Structures are given as structure tokens and as C-alpha cells.
Amino acid sequence: MRKVILFICSVTLCCAACNTQSTENKQTLTDTITSIEFESKAYSFGQVVKGEIVEHSYFFTNTGNIDLIIEEVDPSCGCTTPEWTKEPVKPGEKGKIKVRFDTQHQSLGNKTKQVAVYSNTSPTRNILQFSAQVVAE
């Protein structure tokens, strides 16, 4: 009988510990997630002469309650070079992601490129997009 009572007490304590840990994990997770709002996620360069390098800046605001950290900015093509705010962006403050598009090795015609932004937001990945019509001189 003692073994049964000891077993029931052990199971009860384990369940209580698991529930406490689960609650702590959820609280820690929400303490590390913020939100981001872009002024615009899409941009058109219009017509661009082949060989030109054009730039555009995407501005964003940290709309959450903790610092926003841009972990990585990943372009879909080697023709695109990103630069971004490296330091944490405080709640309510703004940051930017600048993309440089080199048309040197692009064929003529309409082009659409994407840039994936990874940060401590939900969702963790945001997609920025730009387009251009590459034309001959």
C-alpha cells in the first residue's frame, strides 16, 4: 500500500513540475517576440537601364513591447545586396532595410525579386518585394 501511495505522489509531483515548466516556457517565449510593421513591403523601380545599380529603403516600426532584432536579410538573388539596421530597435522606434539591385547581369524585361527578413517577430519571416523593367540603353 505504501508503494502505491508513493507512486501516486511521485506521478502527481512530476505532473505539477511539467505544468510549471510549460507555463514558464510560454512566458519566456512571449517575452522574446515582438511585432514589426513596414511602411510598404513592395516597391517598383519602374524602367531601369541594363547595367544600372538602383537602391530602395524599406522603413519599419517596432510595434511590439521589446527590442526588435533583425537577425538576417536574405535576398532571392545574388544581384541584390541588403543593408539593415544592425542594432536593436526599441519599441515605437523605426529602422530600415536598404536593398541595392544590380541590373548588369539581368536579361531585358520585367523582373521581380524578393528579400526575406528574419527577426524576433511573429511571424519570424517577412517578405519584401521589388520589381523593375530592365531596358536597353
Side-chain angles (χ1 to χ4, degrees):
M1 184 67 167
R2 280 184 168 177
K3 288 182 180 182
V4 172
I5 292 174
L6 183 59
F7 176 75
I8 291 172
C9 288
S10 297
V11 170
T12 303
L13 287 174
C14 285
C15 289
C18 288
N19 284 339
T20 302
Q21 185 176 15
S22 176
T23 302
E24 288 172 0
N25 287 344
K26 288 179 186 175
Q27 188 173 13
T28 302
L29 181 61
T30 59
D31 290 346
T32 61
I33 301 296
T34 190
S35 55
I36 189 170
E37 185 176 315
F38 286 90
E39 289 180 5
S40 176
K41 288 185 175 184
Y43 181 76
S44 174
F45 287 108
Q47 287 190 346
V48 179
V49 176
K50 181 179 174 82
E52 285 186 337
I53 298 173
V54 292
E55 296 179 349
H56 176 69
S57 292
Y58 296 88
F59 293 94
F60 63 86
T61 303
N62 177 355
T63 56
N65 296 321
I66 65 167
D67 289 358
L68 186 150
I69 300 167
I70 302 292
E71 296 162 1
E72 186 65 40
V73 179
D74 187 23
S76 63
C77 174
C79 60
T80 305
T81 306
E83 292 179 23
W84 64 93
T85 303
K86 302 283 196 221
E87 61 275 354
V89 178
K90 300 285 184 201
E93 292 185 354
K94 294 185 180 290
K96 77 176 180 177
I97 298 167
K98 180 170 72 172
V99 294
R100 185 173 296 120
F101 176 48
D102 184 351
T103 64
Q104 180 64 40
H105 301 289
Q106 297 293 308
S107 59
L108 300 181
N110 293 323
K111 306 295 171 199
T112 301
K113 306 293 180 181
Q114 295 182 337
V115 178
V117 179
Y118 297 92
S119 59
N120 62 329
T121 59
S122 181
T124 58
R125 183 179 79 148
N126 282 274
I127 301 294
L128 305 177
Q129 183 173 301
F130 65 86
S131 61
Q133 183 182 16
V134 179
V135 297
E137 289 185 49

